[in-house]
Amino acid sequence: MVNDLEWNEPEPASFYEEACDWLGEGFATIDAARVRSKQKLTELSACLESQTFGESTGFIAFGSLARLEFTDGSDLDWTLLVNGPSDLGQYETSLAIKRSLEAADFTKPGPSGLFGGVSSSFELIHQIGGLEDTNANMTRRLLLLLESVAVEGDIVRQGVLHQLLQRYVRYGRSVEGSKAESLKPPRFLLNDFVRFWRTMAVDYDAKKWLAPDEKWALRNAKLRFSRKLIFVKGLLLGLDCQLSPDAWPWSALPADEFHEAPEERLQQGLQRLIELPAIDSVCRTAKLVNASDSLREILLAYDQFLSVLADESSREQLKTLRFDEAEKNALFSDLRVAGKKFGNALQDLLFRSDDKLTALAMDYGVF
């Protein structure tokens, strides 16, 4: 049991759609990607109908599909998540899933080995920080928190999320936070989000060093846009309880619905906010602080990014672009300008739109 509350609730209203109404405009490529993502999730569910999942296993999708940004060129990052004892049948299930996905023409994950197999909740929960927390383990853990969706076995995903947040919130609390009556941002969790963002940036350069002319431009674009976006989601996720206590996901419930400890309330609210796609998370915060100009620039730039990924010839051009030819390449130059606009607009949201948000971002995101 995840907790005393029911998690299988109807999908909440889309903060992105509300933001479009608020701004009075739409973003065609984002809209198309969201429709495409929901279609693919339906197809994926049908593809897995013939598979047998145990009570302790779930099929979890990551990446653009979980962010509702799937395009025709997107690959499918997935894992068979085990939250319980391991057995050889889980490996056999993962092989059967691979065959089903291949037959249905889903693009397989990249060659890194991060996705496309079995993963255990034990490492995700117990190996946070320290020598045992490898890049692969940290990536699986943070992506589970920032961009994941259960196609099968959501009770498994929710159970692991609950235990992860318990580790971050209850066992990572400060002396001050343990006695506070109000909710305090989870510094342990926020530090891990910051570490993950910096690791993604360093890994980008590492891959460029090892293979300087292989997909570096595509990785560069993803780092400027989608990777940065999920980091901002994580940052906003952690700051939200202080930024908008009146709009906190559980604040409208009667007091007796809460567990007594503040960290339990924090944990429950975080678990609900995790379900928002990254774009919706940014839209929600921008509307809370009335940052319409910043949000418009964010969505315009991101729409341009997705339009490049959705176009087969443009995506292929980025995959094959040599580093020494990038400065003269019009597509890369345009995308780099859009990336700067996107980054500047995110900075405007965090540091120039609202004094309270700025103070929180400084306190928890910088130091």
Side-chain angles (χ1 to χ4, degrees):
M1 179 66 70
V2 175
N3 52 44
D4 296 333
L5 299 169
E6 179 60 59
W7 286 102
N8 295 323
E9 300 174 348
E11 183 179 352
S14 168
F15 290 102
Y16 165 72
E17 292 172 5
E18 290 181 4
C20 290
D21 291 339
W22 180 47
L23 297 175
E25 60 185 285
F27 305 89
T29 313
I30 296 176
D31 293 341
R34 290 168 83 90
V35 171
R36 181 69 168 150
S37 298
K38 292 174 183 178
Q39 291 173 343
K40 278 295 176 181
L41 284 168
T42 300
E43 292 175 19
L44 187 53
S45 181
C47 179
L48 298 174
E49 281 183 351
S50 61
Q51 305 300 329
T52 301
F53 294 89
E55 292 183 358
S56 63
T57 59
F59 182 94
I60 314 300
F62 302 93
S64 58
L65 187 60
R67 297 193 308 271
L68 299 183
E69 298 169 14
F70 199 87
T71 65
D72 287 337
S74 299
D75 53 14
L76 175 62
D77 292 336
W78 63 272
T79 192
L80 184 67
L81 179 61
V82 178
N83 188 27
S86 297
D87 61 63
L88 295 178
Q90 293 154 356
Y91 172 71
E92 296 295 335
T93 298
S94 72
L95 293 181
I97 289 171
K98 287 180 183 179
R99 290 191 288 267
S100 295
L101 295 177
E102 185 176 341
D105 290 328
F106 281 95
T107 304
K108 64 182 180 180
S112 66
L114 270 173
F115 304 109
V118 181
S119 59
S120 169
S121 65
F122 179 87
E123 288 83 5
L124 302 180
I125 296 165
H126 292 282
Q127 295 176 356
I128 301 179
L131 296 178
E132 301 300 322
D133 193 13
T134 63
N135 265 16
N137 187 60
M138 178 181 63
T139 298
R140 292 190 187 102
R141 179 178 68 252
L142 273 297
L143 291 184
L144 186 68
L145 289 162
L146 293 171
E147 54 168 40
S148 69
V149 61
V151 183
E152 294 288 340
D154 192 49
I155 192 171
V156 173
R157 174 177 169 272
Q158 294 293 350
V160 176
L161 288 174
H162 178 71
Q163 294 175 79
L164 274 174
L165 291 173
Q166 199 170 34
R167 171 78 193 274
Y168 282 114
V169 174
R170 179 179 296 181
Y171 296 99
R173 67 186 185 275
S174 64
V175 173
E176 177 190 21
S178 64
K179 296 181 179 180
E181 294 182 2
S182 61
L183 303 182
K184 297 292 184 182
R187 195 178 290 275
F188 180 21
L189 178 61
L190 284 165
N191 283 338
D192 219 14
F193 287 146
V194 172
R195 178 173 70 135
F196 183 48
W197 161 242
R198 293 304 183 188
T199 299
M200 287 190 288
V202 171
D203 283 354
Y204 157 75
D205 277 294
K207 289 176 181 177
K208 187 158 67 73
W209 168 264
L210 295 172
D213 294 320
E214 183 182 333
K215 297 184 180 180
W216 77 270
L218 183 61
R219 293 193 189 100
N220 181 279
K222 289 180 177 180
L223 186 66
R224 289 176 180 271
F225 288 95
S226 54
R227 305 289 188 260
K228 187 175 292 184
L229 181 67
I230 63 170
F231 164 62
V232 172
K233 174 189 173 178
L235 184 60
L236 297 176
L237 183 79
L239 303 181
D240 195 274
C241 65
Q242 281 280 300
L243 177 65
S244 58
D246 293 337
W248 182 243
W250 296 104
S251 61
L253 295 178
D256 58 6
E257 293 276 352
F258 294 131
H259 292 277
E260 290 184 3
E263 61 262 22
E264 288 291 342
R265 290 180 57 195
L266 178 59
Q267 189 177 316
Q268 291 169 351
L270 289 170
Q271 193 154 352
R272 175 166 284 190
L273 286 174
I274 280 171
E275 300 306 319
L276 295 179
I279 284 180
D280 293 74
S281 180
V282 171
C283 288
R284 178 180 182 272
T285 299
K287 194 171 181 183
L288 281 170
V289 300
N290 199 31
S292 57
D293 291 341
S294 297
L295 182 59
R296 183 177 287 105
E297 289 300 314
I298 289 168
L299 295 177
L300 282 170
Y302 208 79
D303 194 76
Q304 182 177 344
F305 162 66
L306 288 183
S307 70
V308 171
L309 296 191
D311 182 75
E312 184 177 356
S313 62
S314 297
R315 191 181 184 107
E316 191 62 30
Q317 189 178 157
L318 288 179
K319 284 183 178 180
T320 57
L321 182 63
R322 293 175 57 88
F323 184 79
D324 55 8
E325 297 171 349
E327 197 169 1
K328 300 177 181 178
N329 183 273
L331 174 65
F332 181 79
S333 297
D334 289 345
L335 203 53
R336 184 169 59 175
V337 170
K340 289 180 179 179
K341 290 181 179 179
F342 181 69
N344 289 338
L346 287 173
Q347 287 186 38
D348 286 340
L349 172 63
L350 290 170
F351 298 107
R352 289 180 281 274
S353 64
D354 180 82
D355 290 342
K356 188 174 184 180
L357 178 56
T358 297
L360 287 167
M362 294 278 289
D363 287 346
Y364 291 92
V366 179
F367 295 112

